[in-house]
Amino acid sequence: MTGEFKETPIGKIPKEWNVFELKEIANVKYGKAIPKKGGEIPVIGSSGIYAWTDRPLVEFPTLVIGRKGTAGAVHLVEVPSWPSDTTFYLEFKKDIDIKYLYYHMSFFKLSGTHAQTTLPSLKREFLEHYYVIYPPHSQNRRK
């Protein structure tokens, strides 16, 4: 790192780092209603695993993000899973360190308090415009 900074939409960051909107690196998808059959595939809701089903909706590592109730809660899911209809999940467009993104989104918390309802909720458009600060690969991994 050189100690030089650049101006970004979220302020100054080291010049070697990048800032992305989430929609640039991932498609934000809606979860679906849980199938009726039980099984060994975890069903992930806004608060985490709450049921099991017999087939996955998602077969790749993803982040499941609460959109109703526990809006903004982020869950790292590295096994086939079924994100429920109270969540969003991410389908990545670029090679990104999913664990880094999970910790980033857990630290720079999302909130559903902007919704004008009594039940906190998170809108897809808000999530798509969420800023991700991404350092070079060599700096975002623990050694």
Side-chain angles (χ1 to χ4, degrees):
M1 202 150 69
T2 64
E4 295 179 37
F5 293 85
K6 65 181 176 184
E7 197 62 47
T8 70
I10 60 167
K12 290 184 178 182
I13 63 171
K15 102 174 178 176
E16 300 86 6
W17 294 24
N18 291 302
V19 173
F20 301 105
E21 284 188 331
L22 190 59
K23 68 181 180 178
E24 294 177 63
I25 59 175
N27 293 316
V28 177
K29 306 277 213 157
Y30 286 95
K32 299 198 184 291
I34 182 174
K36 300 291 183 210
K37 283 187 172 179
E40 297 182 4
I41 303 295
V43 177
I44 317 293
S46 296
S47 296
I49 297 173
Y50 72 93
W52 302 88
T53 190
D54 65 336
R55 61 189 162 94
L57 174 63
V58 177
E59 297 202 35
F60 46 84
T62 190
L63 297 182
V64 175
I65 302 155
R67 68 178 186 88
K68 300 264 185 203
T70 312
V74 181
H75 306 281
L76 173 62
V77 184
E78 298 182 282
V79 298
S81 64
W82 188 283
S84 79
D85 56 357
T86 64
T87 68
F88 295 111
Y89 66 93
L90 302 181
E91 181 180 83
F92 295 98
K93 300 177 191 179
K94 295 184 176 187
D95 184 27
I96 190 149
D97 184 335
I98 189 172
K99 287 183 180 177
Y100 171 84
L101 186 58
Y102 165 73
Y103 289 117
H104 181 286
M105 293 181 82
S106 295
F107 184 78
F108 295 104
K109 295 204 179 287
L110 296 157
S111 168
T113 58
H114 66 280
Q116 299 296 317
T117 65
T118 56
L119 178 67
S121 63
L122 183 64
K123 294 186 180 215
R124 183 176 176 174
E125 297 80 28
F126 181 82
L127 185 56
E128 289 174 333
H129 293 289
Y130 172 83
Y131 286 112
V132 176
I133 305 164
Y134 204 77
H137 187 72
S138 62
Q139 294 178 23
N140 73 21
R141 309 274 309 187
R142 285 184 90 173
K143 296 185 180 194

